[in-house]
Amino acid sequence: MDESPLQVLTIPTTPYPDQRPGTSGLRKKVYVFQSKRNYLHNFIQSTLSSIDLRDRQGSTMVVGGDGRYFNTTAIQVIVQMAAANGVGRLVIGQNGIMSTPAVSCVIRKFKAIGGILLTASHNPGGPDGDFGIKFNIANGGPAPEAVTEKIFQISRTIEEYAICPELRLDLATLGKQTFDLENKFKPFTVEIVDSVESYANMLRNIFDFAVLKELLSGENHIRIRLDAMHGVLGPYVKKILCEELGSPANSAINCVPQEDFGGRHPDPNLTYAADLVESMKSGQYDFGAAFDGDGDRNMILGKHGFFISPSDSVAVIAANIFCIPYFQHMGVRGFARSMPTSGALDNVAKATKIQLYETPTGWKFFGNLMDAGRLSLCGEESFGTGSDHIREKDGLWAVLAWLSILATRKQSVEEVMIEHWKTYGRNYYTRYDYEEVDIDAAVEMMLELEVIILDKAFIGQKFTVGEKTYEVDRADNFEYNDPVDGSISRNQGLRIIFKDGSRIIFRLSGTGSSGATIRLYVDSYEKDINKIFQDPQVKLAELVTIALKLSQLRERMGRSSPTVIT
């Protein structure tokens, strides 16, 4: 057997102009990575080259993916290129699978310089689906804009990449594998780790597992239904909720990760998790939850399918935050939400006199506040909730937070939510997604709408629908001044805010792999206790009508039926 050191090669390549990472990394259709020569290699090299050579040499990095199609192929290339680029050690989840929250956890545990995540999150998988690559930095969180911009600029001028093509890795066997490379003084090491254990151990130090075990398997236990949607979180749910906390094995469904997520769209909302919603409506389960492909998003349901909007979910956790032992010990430094998220969290922050931050969409903005010791709990309307235990949103953490609240308060999901509305008022909220629309038409619509709302004459304008009149108080294109590093993020979404506090928001999203997605958000606060039980779509119909008339969104995009997310 040949024991000579493995060759490191430098291969010429040609740049591509379209490798700008979005808020969640680079996402494209699988066929783009497969059919375009060196497309994957270029982006991996650009990512590695964005790290200073002195930091990269001999360093540790983490690699994990959500198990979607092309995952293992990409990991083998990443390993070959990381070795050739001077990385000293890779920590990889067994079979290449590791949830996004777990990757964040492991980066922090191993004090790695960063990690590469292979996921397109809640987007479809399979040969005809999406694939994505995201770089997380040493704090465990998504790379900030300065880093993603550096990656993009490198990708535009790249001329070559380094690779060790003969390196072959066994992803299935736990333990260390070492490889001798030519012109390298130290061997390159890959450590294949249990994907669940480090993350589970972290959760044990955050929640009271004895209390949760009593709730799920004690004498008066509740019945739960958890849908992993054939994403990465299946093994985590089985290990933690079923094996450790005692919930019956059949309470967890779709827990085997599949390359195409069982042909489903792994997005935990009322549209794509309809099977869970239907099973909850039967009344046989007290608590339900669904998770997305990479395990960072969650949807919470109560008995009979009582839906908890993501905006309400983070507000409820905030109001009951000391039901979680972690916060009893650590205290609460601040709350934050993304700008399009409803103002439900604001109401709790005001009542508890805790600082609230409003950021652009993207978890990296929360991470900056956390690293500065300013933030403890945060959430996004796109089914993301988390805290400063890691630097990513965390679906399973959110579920255990809710279960901790139920155990402490001894109430149902619906009772907790209704009592919250009675205490703080209710923010009625909805989001419409116009997906895969023509990107040029979408940009043109947003630019023309911006001209309309930024005109001084727009302030004070009145819109009447039926018997209700809304008067514009202010309007802008949201801009965020980071209080930690002073960086400014512009063009984060068009906001129309009315005198009564109601908001209409338009945003062009960057998390799709093709075309564009225009998101329309509507938020309206109601404090009258007699008016907090209405259907959100009925309650917000007037504001939706105003939004559609003002933007001409349906006519311009040729879409009359958007996806209703919340």
Side-chain angles (χ1 to χ4, degrees):
M1 182 175 166
D2 186 7
E3 293 292 339
S4 59
L6 298 170
Q7 253 192 321
V8 176
L9 302 180
T10 301
I11 310 292
T13 191
T14 304
Y16 290 95
D18 63 343
Q19 293 195 328
R20 182 190 291 275
T23 55
S24 300
L26 181 70
R27 290 184 186 173
K28 301 288 179 182
K29 291 292 183 185
V30 169
Y31 69 78
V32 174
F33 289 96
Q34 290 180 315
S35 64
K36 291 192 174 184
R37 183 176 176 83
N38 296 335
Y39 196 84
L40 171 67
H41 299 71
N42 280 19
F43 190 73
I44 296 303
Q45 184 62 60
S46 299
T47 299
L48 292 169
S49 295
S50 74
I51 306 167
D52 189 279
L53 183 62
R54 291 167 297 182
D55 296 328
R56 199 166 71 225
Q57 291 291 349
S59 65
T60 297
M61 292 185 71
V62 180
V63 179
D66 60 13
R68 67 180 56 233
Y69 184 83
F70 200 61
N71 189 64
T72 53
T73 301
I75 287 178
Q76 293 289 354
V77 171
I78 289 167
V79 172
Q80 293 170 351
M81 293 185 67
N85 277 274
V87 174
R89 175 174 68 156
L90 289 182
V91 179
I92 305 178
Q94 189 176 22
N95 298 313
I97 286 180
M98 191 182 291
S99 75
T100 292
V103 169
S104 183
C105 166
V106 172
I107 288 173
R108 295 167 69 82
K109 176 184 175 181
F110 283 87
K111 294 181 171 53
I113 61 163
I116 296 176
L117 294 88
L118 303 173
T119 176
S121 187
H122 53 294
N123 292 10
D128 299 320
D130 296 350
F131 189 75
I133 307 171
K134 186 172 80 161
F135 178 57
N136 279 24
I137 58 174
N139 73 349
E145 288 178 342
V147 175
T148 56
E149 183 62 23
K150 186 176 182 182
I151 293 170
F152 176 55
Q153 293 304 330
I154 294 170
S155 77
R156 294 176 65 191
T157 57
I158 189 171
E159 296 180 347
E160 61 187 25
Y161 64 86
I163 191 167
C164 186
E166 296 171 4
L167 196 158
R168 293 289 181 268
L169 184 69
D170 175 8
L171 284 169
T173 305
L174 293 172
K176 291 184 179 180
Q177 300 170 47
T178 57
F179 305 88
D180 288 319
L181 276 58
E182 63 178 11
N183 301 324
K184 304 287 182 184
F185 296 112
K186 291 183 179 180
F188 171 68
T189 303
V190 178
E191 189 171 344
I192 305 298
V193 299
D194 184 301
S195 304
V196 180
E197 190 48 43
S198 290
Y199 175 78
N201 194 50
M202 176 189 67
L203 293 182
R204 293 182 194 109
N205 291 317
I206 293 172
F207 299 99
D208 189 332
F209 270 36
V211 168
L212 294 175
K213 187 167 186 176
E214 181 64 24
L215 178 74
L216 297 179
S217 57
E219 189 176 347
N220 298 309
H221 68 87
I222 64 170
R223 298 195 65 189
I224 66 173
R225 184 79 160 174
L226 304 176
D227 188 349
M229 300 186 83
H230 289 301
V232 71
L233 220 55
Y236 295 80
V237 170
K238 283 288 191 184
K239 169 78 174 175
I240 297 167
L241 272 298
C242 298
E243 293 176 23
E244 189 154 350
L245 297 179
S247 192
N250 62 6
S251 63
I253 58 172
N254 300 320
C255 282
V256 178
Q258 294 185 11
E259 290 189 335
D260 66 348
F261 305 109
R264 301 168 69 192
H265 196 136
D267 197 353
N269 59 46
L270 296 173
T271 300
Y272 296 118
D275 290 350
L276 175 67
V277 175
E278 284 305 308
S279 65
M280 291 300 296
K281 284 180 178 177
S282 69
Q284 64 183 114
Y285 303 104
D286 303 295
F287 178 90
F291 308 99
D292 71 337
D294 66 325
D296 60 353
R297 299 175 191 236
N298 72 96
M299 177 177 69
I300 303 295
L301 298 170
K303 200 166 189 173
H304 304 297
F306 186 86
F307 173 65
I308 304 296
S309 78
S311 299
D312 277 338
S313 181
V314 68
V316 167
I317 295 172
N320 297 277
I321 198 161
F322 294 116
C323 294
I324 302 168
Y326 175 84
F327 295 109
Q328 296 170 15
H329 300 308
M330 299 293 292
V332 180
R333 299 181 177 95
F335 298 141
R337 62 167 175 83
S338 64
M339 182 273 287
T341 302
S342 93
L345 183 60
D346 307 39
N347 305 328
V348 178
K350 185 177 179 181
T352 56
K353 294 182 171 57
I354 291 172
Q355 176 71 44
L356 177 95
Y357 299 91
E358 183 181 34
T359 74
T361 297
W363 214 258
K364 56 197 170 192
F365 298 103
F366 296 144
N368 231 19
L369 293 166
M370 290 174 183
D371 287 347
R374 297 188 182 201
L375 179 60
S376 297
L377 175 73
C378 50
E380 294 182 335
E381 49 72 33
S382 52
F383 295 86
T385 322
S387 87
D388 61 350
H389 64 291
I390 55 172
R391 297 297 181 266
E392 287 279 7
K393 47 187 173 276
D394 191 343
L396 196 51
W397 176 92
V399 164
L400 295 185
W402 263 92
L403 292 174
S404 298
I405 293 167
L406 300 185
T408 302
R409 295 185 54 159
K410 303 192 184 330
Q411 290 177 303
S412 69
V413 171
E414 185 171 355
E415 287 167 343
V416 168
M417 190 73 256
I418 289 174
E419 193 169 305
H420 182 93
W421 288 336
K422 287 180 177 178
T423 303
Y424 299 99
R426 179 177 183 182
N427 280 77
Y428 284 96
Y429 186 82
T430 192
R431 172 183 135 195
Y432 293 172
D433 282 9
Y434 293 82
E435 298 172 300
E436 295 191 356
V437 298
D438 180 77
I439 192 161
D440 293 330
V443 169
E444 184 181 5
M445 189 211 87
M446 292 291 285
L447 288 172
E448 291 185 10
L449 183 58
E450 183 175 8
V451 170
I452 293 170
I453 71 167
L454 294 186
D455 189 317
K456 289 182 180 179
F458 188 69
I459 307 302
Q461 192 168 326
K462 295 179 180 178
F463 295 88
T464 301
V465 181
E467 298 178 359
K468 190 75 183 282
T469 297
Y470 295 88
E471 183 178 348
V472 177
D473 182 57
R474 62 189 191 277
D476 62 11
N477 191 335
F478 182 62
E479 183 176 292
Y480 178 65
N481 294 277
D482 194 304
V484 178
D485 61 19
S487 62
I488 300 174
S489 300
R490 297 183 171 89
N491 303 312
Q492 296 298 316
L494 303 180
R495 299 190 299 178
I496 302 167
I497 303 170
F498 297 96
K499 292 277 189 185
D500 69 346
S502 297
R503 300 184 303 157
I504 292 172
I505 296 161
F506 297 89
R507 189 174 150 265
L508 201 56
S509 174
T511 58
S513 64
S514 60
T517 296
I518 293 177
R519 304 200 198 280
L520 166 62
Y521 313 84
V522 180
D523 177 21
S524 186
Y525 178 66
E526 179 59 69
K527 63 181 177 182
D528 187 338
I529 199 169
N530 297 309
K531 296 180 180 178
I532 59 173
F533 299 107
Q534 298 179 50
D535 182 321
Q537 296 303 320
V538 174
K539 176 73 173 177
L540 298 171
E542 296 158 343
L543 285 163
V544 171
T545 299
I546 293 169
L548 295 177
K549 184 177 180 180
L550 187 64
S551 64
Q552 295 291 295
L553 205 161
R554 285 177 171 172
E555 294 82 357
R556 300 188 64 154
M557 296 301 112
R559 298 285 177 86
S560 59
S561 302
T563 302
V564 181
I565 302 298
T566 54

